[in-house]
Amino acid sequence: MFRLSAEQLAMQKMARDFTEKEIIPVAAEYDEQEKFPDAVIRKMWETGLVNFTVPEALGGVGLDTLTSCVLTEELGRGCAGITTVAAANSLALYPILIAGSEEQKKKFIPPITTAGKYAAFCLTEPNAGSDAASVATNAKAVDGGYVLNGSKCFITNGDVADLFVVFATVDKSKGLKGLTAFVVPKSDGVSAGKKEIKLGIRASSTVVVNFDNVFVPAENVLGGEGMGFKVAMQTLDTSRPLIGALSVGVARGAYESAVKYAKERVQFGQPIANFQMIQAMLANMATRIDASRLLVWRAADMVDQKDASFAKESAMAKMYASDVAMDVTTDAVQILGGYGYSREYPVEKYMRDAKIMQIYEGTNQIQRLVIAGNILR
């Protein structure tokens, strides 16, 4: 059984207190106005709640994955949209940490982490979501490097980022073997396009990013030409427990709201918490949240132990926790009834935010394929 250390418990309390003071009071406002939460992220950065897994020598917090998941759950309980902004920075820096040389790490990561700047992970395209082999963004070899042309969509932080990790093909005929990862600092030719108007996580910015004849030096390639798919998959395997933790936070926030309401709402002369149907719903919600957390912590621990086979457990954690988040938040709305459907209470926001957890960083259908592939291999 996992037992958090005294240091982890202290950090958990710090993140919980920060969430109560700085995130929950403004979450509805940022959601309603679809406003980018730069002021909140700045406070998170100053508090040490951004760039969790980046080593301290590179300007990060230097936490292990398990501790990062503990903190992500607390932040996600406050607002999944705000937490997604911070999590996207980690996602963008993971490929450099995983596949970058020491020189690349020292060159590209500290300017982001020490100044509290933003980074973006650019894989998805209009015709290349789950099918990475269909990536059409092209990297043409020229003297000294490559010229990038193409567009990426659904890019978190894409309009505020100073650094992009871009997956492009050097040879479309090679399929996945042509995919290559590039580190692309903000420059002429890099521009933000359409901003998505979203169901949930509205505080985060999700945009199209265009690359128009952008020169990238050869030394900005991560892991070598043709290694992009491997880099992308290693990145997602490593980051998925954090999405699981974020899902647990969203589910927990909705569950806690439902428990509070059930104790206070009186019908037929007694609190609805006395009714067995409500009790059964709450019992199922609590049990599945705990099961999700344990799956997340196991996967995170395997990442930290550098277990070579953690891809299956990572996919399980993300898939199960996000499915639970969708179910729990829906049940929370049901328990609150008409009030649950009203923006006066937070559970409708939790439900809207939960849906993306089943979609981003690999849909849950893809997670099931990853799990099955590992089982049958």
Side-chain angles (χ1 to χ4, degrees), residues 212-235:
D212 184 14
N213 290 322
V214 178
F215 176 74
V216 184
E219 57 264 29
N220 288 23
V221 172
L222 292 173
E225 193 174 286
M227 296 298 291
F229 182 71
K230 181 178 180 180
V231 172
M233 293 305 101
Q234 288 178 331
T235 296

Side-chain angles (χ1 to χ4, degrees), residues 262-281:
K263 290 178 177 179
E264 296 172 350
R265 174 67 166 170
V266 174
Q267 290 287 276
F268 306 103
Q270 58 184 311
I272 65 170
N274 290 350
F275 301 144
Q276 289 183 339
M277 281 193 176
I278 298 296
Q279 291 175 1
M281 292 174 74

Side-chain angles (χ1 to χ4, degrees), residues 89-352:
N89 251 39
S90 296
L91 178 64
L93 298 180
Y94 268 135
I96 306 175
L97 291 170
I98 289 169
S101 65
E102 288 305 310
E103 183 180 353
Q104 287 174 323
K105 293 174 187 177
K106 291 175 182 176
K107 179 179 180 180
F108 295 119
I109 294 179
I112 300 299
T113 55
T114 59
K117 294 182 178 179
Y118 299 101
F121 179 85
C122 300
L123 175 60
T124 303
E125 296 181 6
N127 294 312
S130 299
D131 180 11
S134 295
V135 163
T137 298
N138 178 262
K140 182 180 179 181
V142 296
D143 288 344
Y146 301 81
V147 173
L148 291 186
N149 281 284
S151 294
K152 299 292 183 176
C153 65
F154 301 131
I155 306 303
T156 304
N157 295 348
D159 54 345
V160 295
D162 284 281
L163 189 75
F164 304 82
V165 172
V166 184
F167 295 84
T169 182
V170 296
D171 186 343
K172 195 76 164 62
S173 68
K174 292 183 178 179
L176 291 176
K177 293 182 179 180
L179 201 62
T180 304
F182 300 88
V183 182
V184 183
K186 184 70 182 288
S187 63
D188 291 341
V190 181
S191 62
K194 173 190 174 186
K195 181 178 179 179
E196 300 297 337
I197 308 301
K198 306 189 297 293
L199 173 71
I201 58 166
R202 293 175 179 175
S204 66
S205 179
T206 310
V207 301
V208 169
V209 179
N210 300 308
F211 300 92
D212 184 14
N213 290 322
V214 178
F215 176 74
V216 184
E219 57 264 29
N220 288 23
V221 172
L222 292 173
E225 193 174 286
M227 296 298 291
F229 182 71
K230 181 178 180 180
V231 172
M233 293 305 101
Q234 288 178 331
T235 296
L236 294 172
D237 287 343
T238 304
S239 68
R240 279 170 181 154
L242 292 162
I243 300 301
L246 178 53
S247 300
V248 174
V250 170
R252 197 181 108 212
Y255 161 75
E256 290 173 355
S257 295
V259 170
K260 182 175 183 293
Y261 182 85
K263 290 178 177 179
E264 296 172 350
R265 174 67 166 170
V266 174
Q267 290 287 276
F268 306 103
Q270 58 184 311
I272 65 170
N274 290 350
F275 301 144
Q276 289 183 339
M277 281 193 176
I278 298 296
Q279 291 175 1
M281 292 174 74
L282 293 174
N284 287 337
M285 293 159 78
T287 301
R288 297 185 71 196
I289 289 170
D290 273 7
S292 298
R293 183 182 296 110
L294 289 172
L295 276 173
V296 167
W297 285 8
R298 180 185 68 166
D301 184 63
M302 291 179 73
V303 172
D304 290 334
Q305 299 304 321
K306 295 181 170 50
D307 189 309
S309 64
F310 67 79
K312 172 168 67 74
E313 287 75 14
S314 182
M316 284 179 171
K318 189 270 185 188
M319 177 199 74
Y320 187 78
S322 58
D323 281 350
V324 166
M326 194 70 247
D327 291 345
V328 165
T329 56
T330 302
D331 282 350
V333 170
Q334 190 71 19
I335 288 172
L336 269 71
Y339 289 113
Y341 202 69
S342 165
R343 293 188 186 180
E344 181 181 351
Y345 288 82
V347 291
E348 63 86 25
K349 177 182 180 299
Y350 284 125
M351 186 177 75
R352 289 188 286 105

